[in-house]
Amino acid sequence: VAAHMLGAVVLGIFWQQFAFVGHDCGHMSARTHARDHIDVHNLGALVTFFNGISVAWWKATHNVHHAMPNTVDCDPDIAHLPVFSLHKKMFEGLFNKYHGRVMEFDWAARNIFVPYQHYWYYPIMAFARWNLYIQSVLFLSNSNDGHKGRSMLDLMALLGFFCWMPTLALQLPSWVEVVAFVLLSHAVAGLLNVQITLSHFSQPIFDSPDKEGVAKYGGDFFTRNVISSLDVACPTYLDWFHGGLQFQTLHHCYPRIGRQHLRKTEPLIASLCKKHSLPY
């Protein structure tokens, strides 16, 4: 049993680390000298196949996230009602422009999740991967939402994941171990969700760009990305664990810089922020 649970931990770490590979390639930041020769289409399908999260869905949300980070009604990465509320406008229910629908502040949000979201945070992160599966399936099954990037290859890769993952788990000798293996591997992979949300949830949320007297999206591209991002101080030997996301501010301002260059580039953005009186 112990060996099987260790395998679940290894699988969870593999999902976390392989997501960083997909992230690097999606930003065309993997090995600078080879970036123009990366077959993003096929490599993206490989990431979908092993991770079970549609790269087409990720690109659709991630492009908006980088363009409008922490904008209350635009950024899909902070649109988590009824589970999390990050801005007072969400208490009224809010029309999200990415999703094209009103995200209701409903009974569950008022009574179960939002008042206790500081307690719910880590348990939800342990199960958040399941929501990414649902979002991937919904994205690939709806071609009329105005978002592009869907492909038959990505769909087949996602179906491939849902073939190999259950087949692997069902090799275990009992249903108890199967369930434990699946839950543990997904909980370990949930570390990635903590890393992603940690870098933005605690930062200022920008009001709707439609509101009069408000700097649209938090100001110019550089300013909005500095203000909405948080870096995590860590020793060099943990850089592999964070996959470059510990330098979130630098990544958001210069997303095509390879993660192998982020640490030595950090002093440059720190001095630039100081020059323009921006918090860093």
Side-chain angles (χ1 to χ4, degrees):
V1 175
H4 295 157
M5 295 307 103
L6 177 61
V9 171
V10 171
L11 179 59
I13 294 173
F14 167 76
W15 279 335
Q16 181 224 21
Q17 290 295 312
F18 202 59
F20 294 146
V21 174
H23 182 257
D24 290 344
C25 294
H27 278 294
M28 301 297 287
S29 65
R31 296 191 61 83
T32 306
H33 68 276
R35 66 167 52 148
D36 293 330
H37 304 289
I38 295 173
D39 189 335
V40 176
H41 187 64
N42 290 330
L43 186 58
L46 191 65
V47 173
T48 300
F49 177 79
F50 282 114
N51 265 29
I53 299 168
S54 166
V55 165
W57 167 81
W58 175 81
K59 287 177 66 177
T61 62
H62 206 64
N63 287 342
V64 176
H65 166 65
H66 267 264
M68 308 169 191
N70 279 22
T71 299
V72 67
D73 57 355
C74 298
D75 184 359
D77 281 16
I78 62 170
H80 299 300
L81 282 175
V83 176
F84 296 127
S85 177
L86 305 179
H87 190 275
K88 62 184 179 180
K89 287 193 72 171
M90 294 181 180
F91 296 158
E92 308 161 5
L94 188 68
F95 183 84
N96 184 273
K97 295 175 182 175
Y98 173 83
H99 292 291
R101 63 179 177 85
V102 174
M103 305 197 77
E104 300 283 356
F105 193 73
D106 57 17
W107 183 90
R110 290 193 306 272
N111 297 282
I112 299 177
F113 293 113
V114 174
Y116 312 104
Q117 59 185 4
H118 50 303
Y119 297 118
W120 279 112
Y121 178 74
Y122 285 111
I124 286 174
M125 292 300 106
F127 287 92
R129 188 176 183 85
W130 299 94
N131 178 58
L132 302 184
Y133 295 153
I134 294 170
Q135 295 302 318
S136 295
V137 171
L138 291 175
F139 181 84
L140 292 177
S141 62
N142 180 15
S143 59
N144 298 316
D145 60 359
H147 301 296
K148 300 179 179 180
R150 297 171 178 84
S151 70
M152 183 58 67
L153 181 61
D154 195 51
L155 175 60
M156 296 305 294
L158 188 63
L159 292 174
F161 172 83
F162 289 126
C163 288
W164 76 256
M165 176 55 197
T167 301
L168 174 66
L170 289 172
Q171 302 308 305
L172 297 173
S174 71
W175 279 106
V176 173
E177 284 195 51
V178 169
V179 172
F181 181 90
V182 171
L183 292 179
L184 180 58
S185 61
H186 284 68
V188 172
L191 288 168
L192 178 62
N193 299 302
V194 173
Q195 290 170 303
I196 294 169
T197 56
L198 186 67
S199 299
H200 293 291
F201 274 20
S202 62
Q203 298 303 97
I205 306 296
F206 306 128
D207 213 331
S208 171
D210 298 329
K211 185 175 180 180
E212 291 293 331
V214 173
K216 289 187 181 297
Y217 310 114
D220 61 83
F221 180 83
F222 187 82
T223 299
R224 79 181 71 141
N225 278 287
V226 169
I227 294 175
S228 64
S229 302
L230 174 74
D231 286 4
V232 177
C234 73
T236 304
Y237 64 80
L238 281 179
D239 282 353
W240 70 272
F241 175 75
H242 290 281
L245 298 187
Q246 75 274 34
F247 300 111
Q248 190 73 201
T249 306
L250 183 55
H251 167 65
H252 260 256
C253 292
Y254 305 101
R256 293 192 72 176
I257 293 180
R259 64 169 126 152
Q260 70 273 25
H261 301 302
L262 292 176
R263 183 171 289 277
K264 60 187 177 185
T265 309
E266 184 191 18
L268 301 180
I269 194 172
S271 63
L272 187 60
C273 288
K274 183 177 180 180
K275 176 181 178 180
H276 294 282
S277 301
L278 290 172
Y280 180 74

